[in-house]
Amino acid sequence: MKLIYTLLFLTISIFSSAQFYLSSGYSLSLPKQEMKKNIRAVHSLALSGLYRLPGNMDRVQLGVDFGWGMYASTRKEQTFTFANGDITRTDVFYSSMVVQGGLQTRIDLLRNKIVTPYLSGKTGYTSFYSNIFVEDPHDPGGCAPLDQRNIIKDGTIYTGYGGGLQVDWSIFNRNSRKSRGWIDLTVNNIQGGNLNYINTKKLVDANNPPVNSDGKPLNITFINASTQQLHEHQVAEVYTSPLRMLELKISATFLLN
């Protein structure tokens, strides 16, 4: 019983003196190399939590990092011509998102300063997925999409390295309490394995699909309301390339305890 009380006391002591930080903000990820040719920048909401190691290791912080973002949201009117001469015109909606989560670490180059430079590293898993929604034209004599939503999803392990600056809020307001809140500016180079994703920079025309393209066709299945015949039409291209991005992040950070 005495051992249990001793362990309980030590646990409470450690957590009462521990420093936990919560950050939330905005992240802009700029595609690089081959990926830059196919998709636009990823705009994300970012959330992270960090724990500062005690004692002589207090320059080091460990924690988790999450993000949810979007790199495409657009609509394109498509004309679908079928083998029997029927024509269907309808809107196709494209939306492409990125979700990532993992572990991160930071090493402060200075301690207890108004402006603190630091080094950062992270690793985790990122997932790219796209929804393609073909609006039902409601044409009794024409054709309608059999599968209105087609989801392309792929993911890879990523690593990142970089650095940043942590600016104490007291620099903007002398009346504010020092070391309770900060503005974080971070830059990370992100890289990972190959990913399959939709090319959103140049969406294809259903009646004139690209020729000699490096992308793979993504088809939508239609059904004729009268004959029940099935048809497939290309509405996008799927490209494959390594994950390469430059992440720029601005966050507000708070000391929780």
Side-chain angles (χ1 to χ4, degrees):
M1 183 65 70
K2 187 177 294 186
L3 176 61
I4 294 176
Y5 282 126
T6 302
L7 292 176
L8 182 61
F9 173 77
L10 290 175
T11 301
I12 294 174
S13 299
I14 291 173
F15 278 91
S16 63
S17 62
Q19 290 184 315
F20 293 95
Y21 302 86
L22 181 66
S23 297
S24 62
Y26 165 75
S27 172
L28 175 67
S29 297
L30 304 174
K32 299 166 54 181
Q33 301 178 15
E34 187 178 350
M35 182 170 277
K36 182 179 179 180
K37 303 175 185 178
N38 301 321
I39 66 172
R40 296 178 173 85
V42 181
H43 302 271
S44 302
L45 297 175
L47 181 67
S48 63
L50 285 165
Y51 162 68
R52 185 179 297 280
L53 298 182
N56 295 331
M57 296 291 290
D58 66 346
R59 287 177 181 262
V60 180
Q61 298 179 56
L62 304 174
V64 293
D65 181 65
F66 299 98
W68 180 90
M70 176 175 289
Y71 67 86
S73 179
T74 187
R75 178 182 68 180
K76 180 180 177 64
E77 185 181 65
Q78 295 275 21
T79 300
F80 301 98
T81 302
F82 302 97
N84 62 356
D86 289 339
I87 294 177
T88 294
R89 292 185 179 89
T90 188
D91 288 331
V92 180
F93 298 86
Y94 302 83
S95 60
S96 297
M97 281 74 69
V98 178
V99 176
Q100 69 174 22
L103 305 176
Q104 65 169 332
T105 182
R106 280 178 31 173
I107 302 176
D108 292 341
L109 301 181
L110 299 173
R111 282 289 289 131
N112 300 319
K113 302 296 183 181
I114 296 296
V115 178
T116 302
Y118 59 84
L119 302 177
S120 64
K122 59 196 301 187
T123 186
Y125 188 82
T126 186
S127 177
F128 279 54
Y129 63 99
S130 294
N131 294 337
I132 299 179
F133 180 80
V134 181
E135 191 174 66
D136 191 340
H138 302 292
D139 182 2
C143 295
L146 185 62
D147 299 315
Q148 287 186 306
R149 186 177 298 271
N150 196 335
I151 300 178
I152 300 299
K153 184 177 181 181
D154 199 8
T156 182
I157 294 174
Y158 71 85
T159 58
Y161 62 90
L165 291 174
Q166 182 174 274
V167 182
D168 198 297
W169 281 2
S170 63
I171 199 174
F172 306 109
N173 183 359
R174 294 182 179 179
N175 296 323
S176 64
R177 187 176 176 184
K178 186 180 176 182
S179 300
R180 300 297 297 183
W182 299 265
I183 297 295
D184 264 324
L185 305 173
T186 311
V187 179
N188 281 306
N189 186 59
I190 305 297
Q191 57 187 18
N194 285 339
L195 279 169
N196 295 315
Y197 55 90
I198 289 178
N199 180 343
T200 57
K201 278 194 171 181
K202 187 177 181 181
L203 296 172
V204 303
D205 190 329
N207 283 335
N208 296 289
V211 180
N212 298 325
S213 172
D214 294 332
K216 300 176 183 178
L218 176 64
N219 297 324
I220 295 291
T221 302
F222 287 76
I223 185 170
N224 187 287
S226 302
T227 65
Q228 298 299 302
Q229 290 182 331
L230 300 180
H231 312 269
E232 283 193 345
H233 287 270
Q234 183 177 345
V235 294
E237 286 186 294
V238 178
Y239 278 70
T240 304
S241 63
L243 175 65
R244 298 289 187 273
M245 287 191 168
L246 181 66
E247 180 189 63
L248 311 174
K249 184 189 297 185
I250 179 169
S251 303
T253 301
F254 305 91
L255 179 63
L256 296 184
N257 59 322

